Amino acid sequence: SQQGEEDPQALSIQEGENATMNCSYKTSINNLQWYRQNSGRGLVHLILIRSNEREKHSGRLRVTLDTSKKSSSLLITASRAADTASYFCATDGKWTGANNLFFGTGTRLTVIP
Amino acid sequence: EAQVTQNPRYLITVTGKKLTVTCSQNMNHEYMSWYRQDPGLGLRQIYYSMNVEVTDKGDVPEGYKVSRKEKRNFPLILESPSPNQTSLYFCASSLQAGVAEQYFGPGTRLTVT
């Protein structure tokens, strides 16, 4: 399966601290995306990084991509209680024509006020 | 407002009783997809559609059917639901596959007894 895998499965931090989540995947990709899901609700797109990019920023989010290690990380700086959610990485399949998006199992982040 | 809508949001049914979950998007997106989300398994793609009348299997298509007669609608059909199809279902759409962010619907929680 091309499904990604997030690490850790769960993370609990104090408000104001930084949160780092990692994603590993198995096959070559064109793009990697990060999504956020509040409990039981639809996923919301956060950021997309292309395979030829190494780092991307969006507000308090910083994403890195290391294609040689087939891994990505999502850093949320100065976390807030409202950041409490599950975070998923999603990869397309470079050799499957990028028609499918494969999601990991997610990291559950809890930010304690 | 740009959105993906799903109906119903909650459904309890019995084994074998055919059901349809509707999905509609108002963003003129070409690509639409169905996922199911199960604890510990993350999101898995059921079917996707690249455009009207073009559909293809995802990772877990068994027991499901789809159709794409109009660009905006992508219903998911369970001809003979079974208890192992109890899950949280999400419809998503994007401008195109892979390189574009996906917009998710609010989810349909299905229980098959």
Side-chain angles (χ1 to χ4, degrees):
Chain A
S1 169
Q2 292 178 241
Q3 192 176 41
E5 198 171 301
E6 287 89 347
D7 172 62
Q9 289 188 340
L11 180 61
S12 185
I13 59 174
Q14 294 290 134
E15 199 165 34
E17 293 180 340
N18 295 342
T20 299
M21 289 157 268
N22 303 297
C23 168
S24 59
Y25 56 91
K26 295 178 181 174
T27 64
S28 296
I29 61 171
N30 293 306
N31 309 284
L32 184 143
Q33 303 183 41
W34 283 92
Y35 286 81
R36 164 201 168 116
Q37 182 184 34
N38 287 80
S39 184
R41 304 184 69 168
L43 279 72
V44 175
H45 181 264
L46 295 176
I47 199 164
L48 181 152
I49 186 166
R50 300 185 190 279
S51 59
N52 61 355
E53 297 176 311
R54 291 297 167 258
E55 189 170 312
K56 205 162 182 180
H57 296 253
S58 177
R60 293 184 296 112
L61 306 180
R62 173 177 165 250
V63 169
T64 62
L65 179 64
D66 186 337
T67 52
S68 67
K69 294 181 179 177
K70 293 188 171 57
S71 68
S72 173
S73 68
L74 170 67
L75 168 68
I76 304 174
T77 60
S79 64
R80 306 166 182 168
D83 294 328
T84 294
S86 291
Y87 293 82
F88 295 85
C89 67
T91 56
D92 64 1
K94 185 170 185 176
W95 309 118
T96 62
N99 293 335
N100 301 57
L101 206 58
F102 298 92
F103 284 83
T105 51
T107 292
R108 173 72 190 164
L109 173 66
T110 302
V111 181
I112 302 164
Chain B
E1 181 191 352
Q3 59 181 351
V4 177
T5 56
Q6 292 178 229
N7 281 293
R9 295 288 314 279
Y10 302 91
L11 180 60
I12 301 174
T13 190
V14 296
T15 298
K17 187 176 180 183
K18 180 179 178 179
L19 66 92
T20 299
V21 184
T22 64
C23 172
S24 183
Q25 50 93 5
N26 63 0
M27 295 168 279
N28 203 36
H29 284 168
E30 291 191 347
Y31 183 88
M32 297 186 75
S33 183
W34 276 102
Y35 298 90
R36 60 177 288 173
Q37 184 176 30
D38 302 288
L41 296 176
L43 273 85
R44 294 177 293 168
Q45 191 176 46
I46 303 170
Y47 269 95
Y48 64 93
S49 170
M50 300 292 286
N51 213 325
V52 176
E53 302 291 1
V54 181
T55 63
D56 210 344
K57 297 176 181 178
D59 268 350
V60 288
E62 294 77 22
Y64 304 95
K65 282 176 57 176
V66 293
S67 69
R68 187 95 182 269
K69 294 187 173 65
E70 308 163 279
K71 199 170 189 177
R72 63 183 293 128
N73 296 324
F74 190 45
L76 179 69
I77 303 154
L78 285 71
E79 294 269 3
S80 182
S82 62
N84 64 12
Q85 292 178 298
T86 292
S87 187
L88 180 57
Y89 290 87
F90 290 101
C91 179
S93 73
S94 64
L95 275 172
Q96 58 187 104
V99 297
E101 66 175 281
Q102 293 201 7
Y103 292 79
F104 280 78
T108 295
R109 188 166 292 280
L110 172 66
T111 302
V112 183
T113 62

